[in-house]
Amino acid sequence: MASRSDQHPDHTTTTAQPISATRQAITPELRRWIIKQAQAGYPAPVVLQSMRDAGWDEDVAAEAMEVTLRNHLNALSVQQGQPTAVPVPEPRLDESPAQVDCGDRTVNVLLAMAQPRIVVFGGLLSPEECDALIADAAPRMARSLTVATQTGGEEINDDRTSDGMFFQRGQSPLIQRIEERIARLLHWPIENGEGLQVLHYRPGAEYKPHYDYFDPAEPGTATILKRGGQRVGTLVIYLNTPEKGGGTTFPDVFLEVAPQRGNAVFFSYERPHPSTQTLHGGAPVIAGDKWIATKWLREREFK
């Protein structure tokens, strides 16, 4: 879409008349006007400024644009044969905070990307919590499996060369505390999360680029979805800092998140489709070991 920042949006509709902030409402007329400006190529900041100039409250204008354009894009996606978008976990970053209160711990916001939705958090876990997770998981590690979408079971996948294990939700006071912290951070119910998985990558180990959602076209997906619906978000927590390599890569947007002990990367996907740009992988570990904990979030209660 071409930029029209050097011009001004069409004021022939609702936004031309100022209106009291106490009476402002997101009307169908306003939605049609916003879509018309987007289709004409006006950037969002230009449209937002036009609405402010016409007397619209900034918060009302921003909400109107966000809701209208999101619903419009979702409708277009469905028309193109994509699955319908669903609600996803979302940290509260509306005011671009440097830190987020997670109840028992304050977490730093290091990076936030809107599309795809990727957020990097600093200090989600303490060094002591990272060490404790590794110590608890180490005796129970086995070759990592992936979900077998052909059957709904599990299988060894040559693209994933790590060892791993799962903790049950609430299995220990440490797990319970971490799960409560994650739920508060991402505003998603604890019961909608799979058990925390700990993975160990030795030198040379990797997980080639993949999607975390379950492909609707695969025959085993219907069986998988019975346990809580689709996956809609992923949180990868780094339990140590490898000497070299081991970053989390997002090939579609040329992003690599460096693994740093206690930090985490979150990303969400509102529909099981490549348009979410959530293709990601674990880059090969070049030197040292890499330990991570992964939390997958489902649409509904995971049983």
Side-chain angles (χ1 to χ4, degrees):
M1 182 179 292
S3 174
R4 298 280 297 276
S5 59
D6 58 333
Q7 302 179 39
H8 300 285
D10 175 16
H11 278 173
T12 60
T13 57
T14 304
T15 58
Q17 291 80 34
I19 184 170
S20 168
T22 60
R23 296 190 293 109
Q24 292 181 352
I26 304 174
T27 64
E29 184 183 13
L30 176 61
R31 294 191 183 98
R32 287 193 293 270
W33 181 86
I34 290 172
I35 292 171
K36 181 179 178 181
Q37 308 317 308
Q39 291 172 336
Y42 294 109
V46 174
V47 179
L48 185 61
Q49 183 61 53
S50 177
M51 294 176 69
R52 288 199 298 260
D53 292 344
W56 286 88
D57 177 77
E58 181 171 0
D59 289 341
V60 175
E63 180 183 2
M65 286 189 58
E66 179 182 356
V67 172
T68 299
L69 294 178
R70 182 174 64 238
N71 291 343
H72 180 62
L73 290 174
N74 183 48
L76 290 176
S77 297
V78 172
Q79 290 175 11
Q80 295 167 2
Q82 297 181 20
T84 302
V86 298
V88 297
E90 177 60 30
R92 292 181 179 169
L93 306 180
D94 294 347
E95 298 180 345
S96 300
Q99 297 179 319
V100 178
D101 179 12
C102 292
D104 66 335
R105 189 172 181 83
T106 299
V107 177
N108 298 317
V109 180
L110 304 182
L111 177 148
M113 180 181 293
Q115 184 60 38
R117 188 47 162 162
I118 300 173
V119 184
V120 179
F121 295 105
L124 177 59
L125 300 189
S126 69
E128 294 76 18
E129 289 172 329
C130 291
D131 292 344
L133 270 181
I134 293 174
D136 290 348
R140 301 168 53 190
M141 305 299 284
R143 174 67 189 270
S144 296
L145 302 177
T146 59
V147 174
T149 53
Q150 290 289 322
T151 64
E154 294 181 318
E155 63 185 1
I156 291 178
N157 188 328
D158 291 339
D159 290 344
R160 191 181 202 185
T161 52
S162 62
D163 295 324
M165 57 79 64
F166 276 95
F167 288 105
Q168 297 297 314
R169 284 201 311 263
Q171 181 170 328
S172 70
L174 172 63
I175 297 298
Q176 181 68 27
R177 183 170 73 247
I178 293 173
E179 288 174 338
E180 290 175 355
R181 191 180 303 161
I182 292 172
R184 182 157 178 167
L185 175 68
L186 301 179
H187 298 276
W188 206 247
I190 288 179
E191 60 268 22
N192 289 21
E194 298 181 26
L196 196 68
Q197 183 187 45
V198 174
L199 295 170
H200 179 208
Y201 292 81
R202 294 180 174 84
E206 65 177 321
Y207 195 177
K208 294 181 180 178
H210 60 282
Y211 297 102
D212 280 353
Y213 57 73
F214 306 115
D215 187 347
E218 294 291 343
T221 294
T223 299
I224 298 168
L225 299 186
K226 291 179 181 178
R227 298 192 65 189
Q230 268 288 359
R231 284 176 176 168
V232 291
T234 301
L235 182 73
V236 178
I237 309 170
Y238 305 107
L239 303 182
N240 78 320
T241 304
E243 294 177 39
K244 294 181 182 179
T248 303
T249 62
F250 295 86
D252 287 346
V253 291
F254 306 102
L255 176 68
E256 181 170 349
V257 179
Q260 299 287 327
R261 183 170 70 163
N263 290 2
V265 58
F266 163 76
F267 52 100
S268 61
Y269 24 99
E270 61 184 11
R271 54 170 55 88
H273 192 271
S275 62
T276 59
Q277 296 183 294
T278 53
L279 184 70
H280 65 286
V285 176
I286 299 172
D289 287 11
K290 170 188 170 184
W291 289 83
I292 63 171
T294 302
K295 175 65 105 174
W296 285 292
L297 295 313
R298 295 286 192 107
E299 289 182 89
R300 304 184 297 274
E301 180 179 0
F302 178 73
K303 299 178 180 180

